[in-house]
Amino acid sequence: MKNLRILSLLLIGILFSCSDDDDNVQPPGGNDPTTATYKITYQGTWSSSSHPTDYPSNSHFSGVIGMAHTADTTLFKENTLATNGIKVMAETGGKSPLTTEINDIISTGKADFLISEGGLSSGTGKIEFEITVSSDHSYVSLVSMIAPSPDWFVAVENLNLYANNEWVDDVTITPIHYDSGTDDGETFTSPNAPSDPVVNIFEITSAPLGNGTEVTPAVATFRFQKI
């Protein structure tokens, strides 16, 4: 009996010891960023029936480029002069200068990573790609040249995928259609005519893309689906 009693006391001691150890285990830090992965579908909706005015037979879109970033930074701003990166992207679809500009933002901590994907081979083409976004860099901005065009591009601007401690589940964005203000061409196939002086980036509302008030319908959409 004495041995059994000693064994029982030892077992009770072990149980209490385990309980004390469990109580000392700390939960993960509440300030650590969470992440979510999104499938992005870039869908062209630009055709001779949607935009018959001056419709080019070789309609397409340049490769997508952008970044995941904080609320207090932007890829570009309307009503300001285009950076060299935005100018080259809008006029030629080239990514190199804009890649450097984005990497400079990343080096400050205000952007998390560069997004660089393919384009659409036709005005109604489609691509899909994935990104993983953190809650401390939950804003996404993307641009892609409308091609051919003088200096026109579509843009997803400062889309916040994490609000009120929740990730956006599924959203489709109609991008804004912009003129970079660096070329004076007025039709899709206008010859190169550098603006002198250059003007601020502005939203396109006039023909051949717009009706004087807005671009309708849009030439593309971006869908973000959490997976």
Side-chain angles (χ1 to χ4, degrees), residues 14-74:
I14 291 171
L15 289 173
F16 274 106
S17 175
C18 290
S19 176
D20 289 344
D21 287 343
D22 289 343
D23 288 343
N24 290 330
V25 173
Q26 297 299 314
N31 293 325
D32 291 341
T34 63
T35 63
T37 299
Y38 283 86
K39 179 177 76 173
I40 301 175
T41 302
Y42 180 22
Q43 174 70 64
T45 57
W46 179 25
S47 67
S48 58
S49 58
S50 68
H51 296 84
T53 303
D54 190 43
Y55 178 76
S57 59
N58 60 335
S59 64
H60 60 286
F61 296 86
S62 74
V64 175
I65 182 169
M67 62 184 184
H69 57 93
T70 60
D72 59 349
T73 194
T74 57

Side-chain angles (χ1 to χ4, degrees), residues 2-175:
K2 183 176 180 180
N3 289 338
L4 288 174
R5 185 176 181 186
I6 292 172
L7 179 60
S8 297
L9 290 172
L10 287 172
L11 290 172
I12 291 171
I14 291 171
L15 289 173
F16 274 106
S17 175
C18 290
S19 176
D20 289 344
D21 287 343
D22 289 343
D23 288 343
N24 290 330
V25 173
Q26 297 299 314
N31 293 325
D32 291 341
T34 63
T35 63
T37 299
Y38 283 86
K39 179 177 76 173
I40 301 175
T41 302
Y42 180 22
Q43 174 70 64
T45 57
W46 179 25
S47 67
S48 58
S49 58
S50 68
H51 296 84
T53 303
D54 190 43
Y55 178 76
S57 59
N58 60 335
S59 64
H60 60 286
F61 296 86
S62 74
V64 175
I65 182 169
M67 62 184 184
H69 57 93
T70 60
D72 59 349
T73 194
T74 57
L75 186 58
F76 70 93
K77 290 183 180 180
E78 185 179 0
N79 297 322
T80 64
L81 294 177
T83 62
N84 188 48
I86 291 295
K87 174 185 183 296
V88 171
M89 178 279 303
E91 292 187 5
T92 72
K95 293 182 177 180
S96 295
L98 190 52
T99 296
T100 299
E101 292 173 9
I102 292 172
N103 283 331
D104 287 344
I105 298 173
I106 292 172
S107 69
T108 70
K110 291 186 176 182
D112 198 12
F113 59 87
L114 168 75
I115 300 169
S116 183
E117 300 290 340
L120 307 184
S121 60
S122 72
T124 56
K126 180 177 77 171
I127 62 167
E128 294 178 345
F129 56 94
E130 295 180 6
I131 61 172
T132 298
V133 186
S134 67
S135 55
D136 55 359
H137 292 83
S138 61
Y139 289 76
V140 173
S141 294
L142 303 170
V143 292
S144 176
M145 177 192 177
I146 301 170
S149 76
D151 60 344
W152 306 339
F153 65 101
V154 291
V156 174
E157 302 172 76
N158 309 323
L159 172 64
N160 187 13
L161 294 172
Y162 187 74
N164 301 317
N165 296 318
E166 291 185 350
W167 289 102
V168 172
D169 185 58
D170 189 343
V171 62
T172 297
I173 301 298
T174 299

